[in-house]
Amino acid sequence: MATNYGGHTSGDPTVSEVGEAATIAAIRAAAPSEVNGDDAAVLDPVPPNSRHVATTDVLVDGEHFRLDWSTPFEVGAKAVTQNFADIQAMGGRPTAVLMSLSAPGDLPVSVVTGIARGMSATAAPWGVELVGGDVVTSRQLIVAVTAIGVLTGPDPALTVDAARPGHTVVASGVIGHSAAGLALLEYFGSREAVPDDPVLRDLVSGHCAPRLIVGRGTVARAAGMSAMTDNSDGLVHDLTTLAHRSGVHVDLDGASLTPDAQLYYAAEVTGGDPWEWVLTGGEDHTLLGTTDREPPAGYRVIGEIREAGEGEPVTVDGQRPVYTAGWDSL
Amino acid sequence: MATNYGGHTSGDPTVSEVGEAATIAAIRAAAPSEVNGDDAAVLDPVPPNSRHVATTDVLVDGEHFRLDWSTPFEVGAKAVTQNFADIQAMGGRPTAVLMSLSAPGDLPVSVVTGIARGMSATAAPWGVELVGGDVVTSRQLIVAVTAIGVLTGPDPALTVDAARPGHTVVASGVIGHSAAGLALLEYFGSREAVPDDPVLRDLVSGHCAPRLIVGRGTVARAAGMSAMTDNSDGLVHDLTTLAHRSGVHVDLDGASLTPDAQLYYAAEVTGGDPWEWVLTGGEDHTLLGTTDREPPAGYRVIGEIREAGEGEPVTVDGQRPVYTAGWDSL
């Protein structure tokens, strides 16, 4: 019996039925790019004083997504989003995406093209294309994406080690929405069972395909921010990394992190705690930065940087956070 | 019972035992790079008139390597080699490597660090480091590598669509050795069972970790070669792609492809046909180019480009090759 890839099996031909060449042709049709199709992709030249940045992330079926919860389009979108978030978190602008797809032979080609379409559509607002890739057979569907970006001009990249006491901590983007969406999917057991309510559906979408705001990374670098990262493994978890790498203490302002109405609503439905989602939920890809200036447009203050002390690297209003866990991939 | 990863299980701690942070720390120690360790890697600036090239390839345990045949070091080396071959085949110089590792939780950390050491050691002669990566849990060991390279100067990239009638076909590197090595492993059933003979052992090594000659791609571009690719899926297979993409016919010179003494020796041992290895064996990553000039140093003539006709896209001395199959990943 064929594996049920989230119901995406309605008689569609599989990758092993059509073979490598036809699968690659289908991907190219779903995510067209002029530069895709040779041994390697040739990227556009960049201004002389530029440096490139590069990052890679893997999404594993059953670990980072479920095809009975997410559409293939959303899986592709999420893979691009989390890589572009890392490019943004350096203050960079994405310029290219490459995909390595490991697929079981019985995977319908329509799932592959759905993933490619999600990548292409998510990259398009940045002026970026899927420029290369590889497709192989494996026992589990695994989507590995590499994003390349550019840092234009001589300003430094925004790294996690440059926060200094006296800087404010700023954020751009929602916090806790992806975790709330996951909690809703787990509570109702399937996506179809989630009530047809725009607030709840939006949170679920925010988990299956979190959204980035185009250009916030370059804005942060142009505005002279000091350190930056993104909320991929959990707010406290990722800021703990920043605290350790910068040799500082992060004190968050509890009032600024108060869960929004959407989170309280989802918590009422599921019986969850919205503060857990805010403090430990990852995959929002909220940009988290530090600065000694006014926060740039689109950023709000959520805390401040202090001298490193003996206690917790990250506190909320001076206290140990009530939740501190974060995502561990292994 | 723990999976036996080719005998690499002698009580070593596993990735799930040590967790993500310690596994990543072990990879960084095995493949050190100053720029690895933030949301994304920042690459060195390149000369103003440069373009970047990028490529990605996946190696799946049981499909592209076997840990009872290859050491982890060789798996990492092979992953870098096949990506660098693609950069070379564009006429480029590799500048960075990123690795996405999907690993079963019971995989020993020593296997992961072995792979990383193989990558680092293979990239080192090019002045290239492992600058970034991701490690996740999966049911099967999968190594996805992305290589970035640079094309310096205004000359065009060496693509597969630029061969023209009258050009000669040239090659740099061995042809058929990887396939002979694979045949030896299949014939003897294990690496240990392969006789301790330098010729046979060298062919097996050439399969488990094919070797590139540093700089042959930039030499080819500097010498004004027209088209280029590498022998990754099989000589006839890859030249058929070049023939179709360039709209030409490739006629190979049989005498120049005559299997060497090593291949004849291996064929005598295994009962195989060395011509099959030459014509259809992939993964040698031999550079295959076309030129209207004298072949540059390190390249030998193996055929010529003619007008496309009605018949086979690739012939040997005007005849259909006796073997034409190639590797299909799906």
Side-chain angles (χ1 to χ4, degrees):
Chain A
M1 201 189 79
T3 313
N4 177 2
Y5 293 103
H8 308 284
T9 53
S10 49
D12 292 343
T14 68
V15 295
S16 64
E17 282 165 7
V18 308
E20 180 178 4
T23 299
I24 290 175
I27 293 171
R28 283 195 194 147
S33 173
E34 282 296 314
V35 303
N36 186 347
D38 220 294
D39 297 292
V42 181
L43 310 183
D44 286 338
V46 294
N49 56 355
S50 304
R51 284 156 295 163
H52 277 78
V53 289
T55 184
T56 192
D57 267 312
V58 192
L59 295 181
V60 177
D61 182 16
E63 298 277 341
H64 306 94
F65 65 86
R66 288 174 52 168
L67 279 177
D68 54 340
W69 284 356
S70 298
T71 64
F73 186 97
E74 287 173 331
V75 173
K78 181 174 173 175
V80 167
T81 290
Q82 66 184 38
N83 278 282
F84 281 15
D86 285 333
I87 300 287
Q88 289 220 98
M90 302 299 287
R93 173 176 64 80
T95 55
V97 172
L98 297 98
M99 166 180 72
S100 286
L101 192 75
S102 307
D106 66 353
L107 188 76
V109 178
S110 58
V111 172
V112 174
T113 53
I115 291 170
R117 263 194 295 274
M119 289 184 177
S120 182
T122 307
W126 309 73
V128 173
E129 295 174 343
L130 180 65
V131 301
D134 192 19
V135 182
V136 298
T137 295
S138 64
R139 293 200 291 273
Q140 194 174 12
L141 175 61
I142 296 181
V143 184
V145 166
T146 300
I148 299 172
V150 66
L151 297 170
T152 309
D155 293 333
L158 301 181
T159 51
V160 293
D161 57 2
R164 296 293 174 265
H167 293 187
T168 53
V169 182
V170 299
S172 176
V174 297
I175 299 178
H177 282 217
S178 175
L182 176 59
L184 286 162
L185 285 166
E186 287 173 340
Y187 181 79
F188 289 104
S190 79
R191 189 150 185 184
E192 293 66 33
V194 175
D196 188 12
D197 176 302
V199 170
L200 303 183
R201 292 272 167 174
D202 188 63
L203 291 170
V204 170
S205 293
H207 171 70
C208 294
R211 291 171 288 272
L212 294 186
I213 303 167
V214 174
R216 284 283 162 83
T218 45
V219 162
R221 183 160 167 264
M225 282 175 52
S226 44
M228 188 171 270
T229 190
D230 76 301
N231 170 18
S232 50
D233 294 333
L235 181 67
V236 172
H237 181 98
D238 290 314
L239 288 176
T240 297
T241 300
L242 182 141
H244 284 143
R245 296 283 304 281
S246 291
V248 298
H249 168 93
V250 175
D251 187 46
L252 294 169
D253 168 40
S256 73
L257 295 174
T258 304
D260 60 27
Q262 285 180 271
L263 295 187
Y264 270 111
Y265 181 24
E268 198 170 308
V269 169
T270 63
D273 183 344
W275 276 103
E276 183 173 6
W277 299 334
V278 166
L279 294 171
T280 72
E283 300 198 330
D284 289 314
H285 302 296
T286 317
L287 286 174
L288 304 169
T290 63
T291 182
D292 59 359
R293 310 182 192 176
E294 286 295 304
Y299 286 84
R300 62 191 185 279
V301 175
I302 63 165
E304 62 181 58
I305 301 294
R306 300 195 178 148
E307 298 280 351
E310 293 296 304
E312 297 290 324
V314 177
T315 53
V316 178
D317 299 330
Q319 305 294 313
R320 183 173 197 278
V322 286
Y323 300 100
T324 59
W327 175 264
D328 191 311
S329 289
L330 293 178
Chain B
M1 200 188 81
T3 312
N4 178 1
Y5 293 101
H8 308 286
T9 52
S10 49
D12 292 342
T14 68
V15 294
S16 65
E17 282 166 7
V18 308
E20 181 179 4
T23 300
I24 291 175
I27 292 171
R28 283 197 193 144
S33 172
E34 282 296 314
V35 303
N36 186 346
D38 219 294
D39 297 293
V42 181
L43 310 184
D44 286 338
V46 292
N49 56 355
S50 303
R51 285 156 294 162
H52 277 78
V53 288
T55 185
T56 191
D57 268 311
V58 191
L59 295 181
V60 177
D61 182 17
E63 298 276 342
H64 306 94
F65 65 87
R66 288 173 54 167
L67 279 177
D68 55 340
W69 283 355
S70 298
T71 65
F73 185 97
E74 287 173 329
V75 172
K78 181 175 174 175
V80 167
T81 290
Q82 66 184 41
N83 278 282
F84 280 16
D86 285 334
I87 299 288
Q88 290 219 98
M90 302 299 286
R93 173 175 63 80
T95 55
V97 173
L98 297 98
M99 165 181 73
S100 286
L101 193 75
S102 306
D106 66 353
L107 188 76
V109 178
S110 57
V111 172
V112 174
T113 52
I115 292 170
R117 261 193 297 274
M119 290 184 175
S120 183
T122 307
W126 308 72
V128 173
E129 294 174 344
L130 180 65
V131 300
D134 193 17
V135 183
V136 299
T137 294
S138 65
R139 294 201 290 273
Q140 194 174 13
L141 175 61
I142 296 181
V143 184
V145 165
T146 300
I148 300 171
V150 67
L151 296 170
T152 308
D155 293 334
L158 301 181
T159 52
V160 292
D161 57 1
R164 297 293 174 263
H167 292 187
T168 52
V169 181
V170 299
S172 175
V174 296
I175 299 179
H177 282 217
S178 176
L182 176 58
L184 286 163
L185 286 165
E186 286 172 341
Y187 181 79
F188 288 104
S190 78
R191 190 153 185 180
E192 292 67 33
V194 175
D196 190 13
D197 175 301
V199 170
L200 302 182
R201 292 271 166 175
D202 187 62
L203 291 171
V204 170
S205 293
H207 171 71
C208 295
R211 293 170 287 271
L212 294 185
I213 303 168
V214 174
R216 284 283 162 83
T218 45
V219 162
R221 184 161 167 263
M225 282 176 50
S226 44
M228 188 171 269
T229 190
D230 76 300
N231 172 17
S232 50
D233 294 333
L235 181 68
V236 173
H237 181 98
D238 290 313
L239 287 177
T240 298
T241 301
L242 182 142
H244 284 144
R245 297 284 304 282
S246 291
V248 298
H249 169 91
V250 175
D251 187 46
L252 294 169
D253 169 40
S256 73
L257 295 174
T258 303
D260 60 26
Q262 285 180 272
L263 295 188
Y264 271 111
Y265 180 24
E268 199 170 308
V269 169
T270 63
D273 183 344
W275 276 103
E276 182 173 7
W277 298 334
V278 166
L279 293 171
T280 74
E283 301 198 329
D284 288 314
H285 302 296
T286 317
L287 285 174
L288 304 169
T290 62
T291 182
D292 60 359
R293 310 182 192 176
E294 288 294 305
Y299 286 84
R300 63 192 186 277
V301 175
I302 62 165
E304 62 180 58
I305 301 294
R306 300 195 178 148
E307 297 281 352
E310 293 296 305
E312 296 291 323
V314 176
T315 52
V316 178
D317 298 330
Q319 306 293 312
R320 183 174 196 278
V322 286
Y323 301 98
T324 60
W327 174 264
D328 191 311
S329 290
L330 293 178

